[in-house]
Every structure is written in C-alpha cells, then in structure tokens.
C-alpha cells in the first residue's frame, strides 16, 4: 500500500499540513530545522514516494521540461537528449522528449501544449510558420534552438551558412565543380543548409545538383546515391545534410568502385563522433553543440524561474533573447585528396 502524507504525519505526530510543507520544499513556512529533519527521515524510512501530480497542483510547477525534436534517427539529436537530460537533472528537472508533428503543423492544427504539463519547452530544429500557435496561448516558456530556429521567441540559433560557405570554398580549392547536395529536404528551399548551398552555387556560378533522399535513413541515402551515380555518373563532391548521410554516400560510392577521397570528396554536417571514427574520417560542418545546449538551458531555466506569462503577454522583439552561434568546417580525411 502506498505511503501517504497522513501516514507520515501520524508517525511523527505532526499535522498533515506541516508534513506537506516539508515534503514539498516550502521554505516560506516557519518550521524548525529539527522538525524538517524528523519528517524527512520518517518519509525515507517508510518508503514514501511523492505524488508528482499532486505536488504540481500545490506548487504550480511540474519540474518537467519538454524537448521537441523533428526526428530521432540522428546522433546529433541523441546527443541533444543526453545533454539536456543531464542539464535538467542537475537543476532538479526531468526531461521528456516529444517528436514535433510536422503534418499537424503544416495542416494548420496547433499542438495543445497543455496536454503535456511541462514548465518549459526546448524546440530543436522544429521551426514552422505556426509556431506561435503552439506556445503563446499557454504562456509556457519556449526556447527555439538549432539551425532551424524561430526568431520570434527566445532563441539560441546556429548559422550554418558560414560552415557551408567554408565547405564550398574548400571543395573548390580541391578542384571540384560538380558539387552535389545530398538532402532529405529538396522540396524545402528555406531549409538552412539547402538555402546556403544554393546561394553558394549562384555566387560561384555552379549548377546546383540535388540528390534527394526520401528519408534520413542510411539505407535510403545509399540507394538514392547509387541510383544517381548509375544514371548520371559520380559528382566531383557530395555535400551531405548530415554525417550519417555522408557515411551512407561513401558506402554507395564504394559499391560502384569509387574511392573517397581519391575519386569523390565528401563533406557531412553535425560533427558526430561516428563521422570522426569512420574510415575515411568525415569532414563536417560542426555546430557548437555543447555551447548551444548549455546556453539554451540557461535561458529556459531563467524563464521558468520567472513564471508563466499571461496569454496576452507575448514577448516584444526587445524582450526576446536573441543569440546566434556559428557552425564551422572541420576538415578530415574525406575531403582531402591523397598526395
């Protein structure tokens, strides 16, 4: 049978209210230190487990924050979950992860944030035109982060255009003219990496070459690159949307007897550990992940401490925390020709 506050109150000979104040961390109520210690010891000995839903009603907080992700098939997003879970735990919060529903967003159906009782939201690479419909009505603090961020809200974004520019210059120095972009967002020209690639092609008088993979999976990327090479021949270089897609492209090129980097140069994105240990190691456009995660958490934690806004108190542009970091190119083996 679950131990209740009344059970503890009976054990220590105190009122239910006093025990509740102690176990809910109410320091605004004058209770002697010795009494607090007696309640805490009894709760431990009796195996008391707090009812978090009841605590949330009393305190007006759940000590839970949500991390919205576009998908999870990525080392980048796996790392985000791990780092945010650790940052949250260090401050007494728990992290829940939820996949951002692109279909409902594009159909104009707003997410009901209140169906997940969280104190704040971290939204990584999930910006949609209807973002305001998700957070503003409830006043839940929201921090948008990543390459695909919403500047209308507190944000710690990443400018990938700098990294793409460096990547294209590096490939140009390697004698590449036919540079293909392996992407899962070929139909979304506003996607930051694709937009930067197209801009660089225009500025360098290069013909854009898109290799549109159907999903972010490696199997899809491998078959897509294989079909492209069989139909059109190998490009001079492939700029892949992620390191995982870059590794899949390298495997596909090997299927056709092509060597990386002797025949084709490859650059990925996200700077994953897997890319570092691949053979050859993958040159990558690397965002300052740990700094981005840490700064985003600091901003959200401060907003949560300040309390929810009223629905009519949307932040003005002057009140929005605006911070944009830069992704930079890390050159490894896959983009440097031998000799």
């Amino acid at each position: 049978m679950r131990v209740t506050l009344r059970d503890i109150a009976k054990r220590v000979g105190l009122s239910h209210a006093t025990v509740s104040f102690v176990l809910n961390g109410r320091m605004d109520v004058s209770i002697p230190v010795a009494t607090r210690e007696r309640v805490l010891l009894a709760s431990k000995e009796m195996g008391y487990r707090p009812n978090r839903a009841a605590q949330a009603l009393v305190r007006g907080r759940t000590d839970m924050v949500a991390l919205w992700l576009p998908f999870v098939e990525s080392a980048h997003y796996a790392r985000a979950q791990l780092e945010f879970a650790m940052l949250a735990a260090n401050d007494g919060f728990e992290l829940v992860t939820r996949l951002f529903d692109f279909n409902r967003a594009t159909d104009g159906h707003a997410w009901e944030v209140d169906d997940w009782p969280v104190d704040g939201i971290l939204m990584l690479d999930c910006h949609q035109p209807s973002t305001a419909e998700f957070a503003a009505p409830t006043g839940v603090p929201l921090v948008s982060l990543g390459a695909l961020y919403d500047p209308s809200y507190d944000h710690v974004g990443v400018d990938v255009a700098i990294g793409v520019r460096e990547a294209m210059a590096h490939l140009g120095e390697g004698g590449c003219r036919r540079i293909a972009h392996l992407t899962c967002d070929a139909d979304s020209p506003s996607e930051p990496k694709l937009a930067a690639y197209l801009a660089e092609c225009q500025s360098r008088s290069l013909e854009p070459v898109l290799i549109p993979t159907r999903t972010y999976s490696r199997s899809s990327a491998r078959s897509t690159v294989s079909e492209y090479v069989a139909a059109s021949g190998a490009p001079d270089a492939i700029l892949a949307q992620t390191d995982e897609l870059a590794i899949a492209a390298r495997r596909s090129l090997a299927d056709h007897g092509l060597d990386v980097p002797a025949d084709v140069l490859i650059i990925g994105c996200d700077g994953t550990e897997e890319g570092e240990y691949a053979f050859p190691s993958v040159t990558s456009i690397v965002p300052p992940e740990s700094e981005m995660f840490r700064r985003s958490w600091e901003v959200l934690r401060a907003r949560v401490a300040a309390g929810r806004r009223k629905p009519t108190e949307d932040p003005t542009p002057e009140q929005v925390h605006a911070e944009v970091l830069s992704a930079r190119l890390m050159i490894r083996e896959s983009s440097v020709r031998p000799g």
Side-chain angles (χ1 to χ4, degrees):
M1 183 179 295
R2 190 183 185 102
V3 177
T4 68
L5 295 183
R6 296 193 184 279
D7 295 329
I8 299 172
K10 184 177 180 179
R11 166 88 170 261
V12 297
L14 296 170
S15 69
H16 174 275
T18 299
V19 171
S20 176
F21 289 149
V22 172
L23 295 181
N24 282 295
R26 289 282 301 276
M27 303 306 294
D28 58 326
V29 180
S30 180
I31 300 175
V33 173
T35 301
R36 289 183 182 273
E37 291 177 349
R38 188 153 55 100
V39 171
L40 293 173
L41 178 60
S43 67
K44 183 177 181 180
E45 290 176 346
M46 297 174 70
Y48 171 72
R49 290 184 295 117
N51 184 323
R52 298 197 60 172
Q55 285 185 333
L57 288 174
V58 172
R59 300 166 56 204
R61 280 180 48 174
T62 63
D63 289 336
M64 297 175 66
V65 293
L67 173 63
W68 289 0
L69 298 173
F71 59 91
V72 293
E73 299 88 348
S74 162
H76 172 56
Y77 295 132
R79 203 155 55 231
Q81 292 180 81
L82 174 61
E83 292 211 25
F84 277 126
M86 294 176 64
L87 287 165
N90 287 339
D91 285 329
F93 289 84
E94 289 206 28
L95 185 76
V96 295
T97 301
R98 192 173 187 189
L99 296 184
F100 190 84
D101 192 331
F102 283 98
N103 293 326
R104 290 182 65 186
T106 54
D107 289 343
H109 299 293
W111 243 5
E112 293 294 334
V113 177
D114 283 340
D115 64 0
W116 282 84
V118 294
D119 296 330
I121 298 169
L122 295 155
M123 190 167 67
L124 176 54
D125 290 338
C126 293
H127 171 52
Q128 291 285 305
S130 54
T131 299
E133 299 176 18
F134 300 142
T138 64
V140 176
L142 182 151
V143 176
S144 183
L145 65 145
L148 199 59
Y149 62 92
D150 188 336
S152 302
Y153 286 86
D154 291 327
H155 59 272
V156 181
V158 172
D159 182 0
V160 296
I162 295 175
V164 172
R165 212 158 34 240
E166 293 177 344
M168 295 292 281
H170 174 61
L171 294 173
E173 291 167 1
C176 299
R177 294 289 298 171
R178 189 174 163 214
I179 303 172
H181 184 39
L182 176 60
T183 176
C184 195
D185 293 302
D187 296 328
S188 304
S190 61
E191 193 279 324
K193 296 165 193 172
L194 175 57
Y197 165 78
L198 294 174
E200 283 300 299
C201 285
Q202 183 175 16
S203 68
R204 297 173 182 277
S205 300
L206 301 177
E207 185 69 27
V209 178
L210 298 183
I211 304 179
T213 181
R214 291 172 289 280
T215 71
Y216 286 98
S217 71
R218 297 180 211 201
S219 60
S220 176
R222 182 178 183 179
S223 62
T224 299
V225 172
S226 180
E227 291 167 6
Y228 176 84
V229 171
S232 306
D236 298 330
I238 293 177
L239 175 62
Q241 191 173 10
T242 68
D243 284 353
E244 285 90 346
L245 296 186
I247 292 170
R250 185 262 173 194
R251 175 69 260 181
S252 184
L253 293 170
D255 294 340
H256 288 267
L258 297 166
D259 181 76
V260 174
D263 299 315
V264 181
L265 303 186
I266 287 182
I267 294 179
C269 190
D270 293 335
T272 63
E273 185 177 46
E274 186 173 8
E276 179 182 358
Y277 285 94
F279 184 78
S281 56
V282 178
T283 293
S284 187
I285 298 169
V286 182
E289 284 189 333
S290 292
E291 181 182 2
M292 174 180 66
F293 299 151
R294 176 182 57 81
R295 291 292 300 127
S296 300
W297 176 250
E298 290 172 351
V299 173
L300 185 68
R301 184 181 59 192
R303 296 299 195 199
V304 169
R308 290 193 180 198
R309 292 178 285 101
K310 294 179 181 179
T312 56
E313 294 178 341
D314 287 347
T316 64
E318 294 76 20
Q319 295 171 321
V320 169
H321 178 91
E323 186 174 353
V324 180
L325 309 174
S326 297
R328 307 308 295 257
L329 182 68
M330 180 174 290
I331 298 175
R332 296 190 180 119
E333 297 167 337
S334 68
S335 67
V336 179
R337 297 193 190 280

